[in-house]
Amino acid sequence: MSVTLTEENYLKAIYHISQMTKTDVSTNAIAEKIDAKASSVTDMLKKLSDKGFITYIKYKGVNLTEKGRLTAVDIIRKHRLWEVFLVDKLNFSWDEVHDVAEQLEHIKSPKLIKELDAFLDFPTHDPHGDPIPDKDGQIKRTDKIILSKAEVGGTYKCVGVQDSSTDFLKYLDKHQIQIGTELTVKDIEDFDHSMTFTIHQHNMTMSKAITNNIYVKKLQ
Amino acid sequence: MSVTLTEENYLKAIYHISQMTKTDVSTNAIAEKIDAKASSVTDMLKKLSDKGFITYIKYKGVNLTEKGRLTAVDIIRKHRLWEVFLVDKLNFSWDEVHDVAEQLEHIKSPKLIKELDAFLDFPTHDPHGDPIPDKDGQIKRTDKIILSKAEVGGTYKCVGVQDSSTDFLKYLDKHQIQIGTELTVKDIEDFDHSMTFTIHQHNMTMSKAITNNIYVKKLQ
DNA sequence: TTTAATTTTTAGACAACTCTAAAAATATGT
DNA sequence: ACATATTTTTAGAGTTGTCTAAAAATTAAA
């Protein structure tokens, strides 16, 4: 009862969507994420249900079973470990890693991941600030908030991004924002909720479209 | 016009067989290597021929075109670089690397291989002593000979193996023979061509079945 | 050289995954 | 609540790569 590459991608997509929405995952949402037609998704959902990875009720949507969740989280663990490898050891920038990690995450070898984890010195977060699940599928909860919810006068540390599209990461690189960057909120515009910060001794303003995609942790 | 994983495996198999036999590669030989039926191979040969990777004459066998050779050699380059990574960085032993490298060799990312090559300090040989093709598909010829052809009194350095099955590599590990090990031929038995060596200040005897699978280079 | 054995190819079918088009179920608006 | 719009599922079909069984070509043997 092995898991095919395609099944793995579906499980990962379902996991990510359910993390977002906290409700039953719809066929259309999966179709959009996977970039396939809804009819193809329906076929696959039957298969995943037969194999015990999801609970599937027609027209109602799906949920991961514990078995499905563990499988999805294991793939995410591999993906994020490979991302650390690419950035720390092979000089990839954080906007270049995603496509390659997407391939590497499907390599099957428990020893490979165990040794890679040790070689990277047991990292807890990937280059985008997302936590790396441990080998038992536990994910460390972070007390991060979305930057758009920050308060005037507060100082925050950048811990991750919501959108990891190349375009967005390039924007951050251009403005020298990365994991660990500290920023202080100077002003919030009532009209469009654009925010002005002090970053690296400079002032800069970001639109809500930007601040909605950056996670920060408040510095006490 | 991309190359599927299956096509890559066929090209690699054809390359390896043609290196061995130096003649047209037969359908049955490929079927055995790939572990598929001859009829499946015939189907794939038509496809590879259509795509310009091989010249295929019905009932006569196949040969790689230059395009096919370059593709095969590129996969072998990736395979061997990954083997070096697994042994040098992730504590794999040389009998554990093959299956994982077989998966890793299909990852598509020119930057990944370029950076991995640099990270490993541009290795020229894999852990079994096989040469790593360079990025233009050139393979360094080694002046290695098969150990069974060595002469009494000569001193040789182990540079590679012919058979890289797990059983054989375990035999070598057990007797502490690896790439770089030096040995001096003390005696060759006329009857069965078994050979006695001095290795690590010890004497040991190997049957022809063993010496036929070890490559050595004569130390002048 | 003519028969027998072997190799290779063809024909037809199946599994995994995909699609389009149409039908069925659910949700929405007035 | 009833018509309309949206979502989801079914039905039928295509692609890639595999198989078995049988036919065709080649090679080996007597």
Side-chain angles (χ1 to χ4, degrees), chain A residues 17-171:
Chain A
I17 296 165
S18 72
Q19 286 295 101
M20 290 281 189
T21 63
K22 304 284 178 190
T23 61
D24 295 350
V25 177
S26 75
T27 303
N28 261 4
I30 299 168
E32 196 187 349
K33 192 106 183 172
I34 294 277
D35 195 24
K37 294 293 142 92
S39 54
S40 309
V41 174
T42 302
D43 280 355
M44 182 56 83
L45 294 184
K46 282 179 199 151
K47 206 176 138 195
L48 291 174
S49 177
D50 287 348
K51 287 194 172 189
F53 290 113
I54 59 173
T55 54
Y56 168 46
I57 303 166
K58 270 192 195 175
Y59 297 103
K60 275 286 179 66
V62 301
N63 283 103
L64 291 173
T65 60
E66 184 58 12
K67 176 181 169 185
R69 198 193 70 82
L70 285 173
T71 307
V73 164
D74 188 51
I75 300 159
I76 290 163
R77 170 173 160 79
K78 290 183 216 160
H79 182 101
R80 292 182 180 164
L81 281 173
W82 281 115
E83 287 195 341
V84 174
F85 172 71
L86 294 171
V87 169
D88 285 9
K89 307 291 183 183
L90 298 196
N91 304 309
F92 277 63
S93 58
W94 69 346
D95 54 300
E96 294 175 316
V97 295
H98 196 265
D99 292 346
V100 187
E102 200 99 304
Q103 298 178 61
L104 287 163
E105 71 190 7
H106 300 291
I107 303 289
K108 275 157 185 84
S109 165
K111 177 169 171 115
L112 175 64
I113 293 305
K114 185 168 155 285
E115 294 289 342
L116 183 66
D117 191 27
F119 182 61
L120 299 173
D121 210 16
F122 309 103
T124 59
H125 293 79
D126 79 6
H128 310 102
D130 294 314
I132 297 174
D134 72 17
K135 51 192 159 312
D136 303 313
Q138 295 296 118
I139 302 177
K140 201 186 278 136
R141 271 248 149 282
T142 49
D143 47 358
K144 66 187 182 187
I145 62 163
I146 203 82
L147 180 53
S148 55
K149 297 259 170 63
E151 292 157 11
V152 173
T155 296
Y156 300 85
K157 186 171 74 172
C158 177
V159 297
V161 296
Q162 157 71 31
D163 174 353
S164 49
S165 70
T166 303
D167 280 350
F168 182 60
L169 296 176
K170 281 200 169 134
Y171 168 90

Side-chain angles (χ1 to χ4, degrees), chain B residues 180-195:
Chain B
T181 299
E182 289 186 16
L183 34 81
T184 302
V185 184
K186 286 295 168 195
D187 187 46
I188 303 176
E189 206 62 58
D190 278 342
F191 177 62
D192 65 350
H193 205 269
S194 64
M195 301 170 87

Side-chain angles (χ1 to χ4, degrees), chain B residues 76-103:
Chain B
I76 290 163
R77 170 173 161 78
K78 291 183 217 160
H79 182 101
R80 292 181 181 166
L81 280 173
W82 281 115
E83 286 195 342
V84 173
F85 171 71
L86 294 172
V87 169
D88 284 10
K89 307 290 182 184
L90 298 195
N91 303 310
F92 277 63
S93 58
W94 68 348
D95 54 299
E96 294 175 314
V97 296
H98 196 266
D99 292 345
V100 187
E102 200 99 305
Q103 298 178 62

Side-chain angles (χ1 to χ4, degrees), chain B residues 4 6 10 36-37 39-40 43-44 47 59:
Chain B
T4 69
T6 314
Y10 272 87
K37 293 295 143 87
S39 55
S40 309
D43 282 353
M44 182 55 82
K47 207 176 138 195
Y59 296 103

Side-chain angles (χ1 to χ4, degrees), chain A residues 188-201:
Chain A
I188 302 177
E189 205 63 57
D190 278 343
F191 177 62
D192 65 348
H193 205 270
S194 63
M195 300 172 87
T196 303
F197 308 95
T198 308
I199 303 176
H200 303 309
Q201 281 92 315

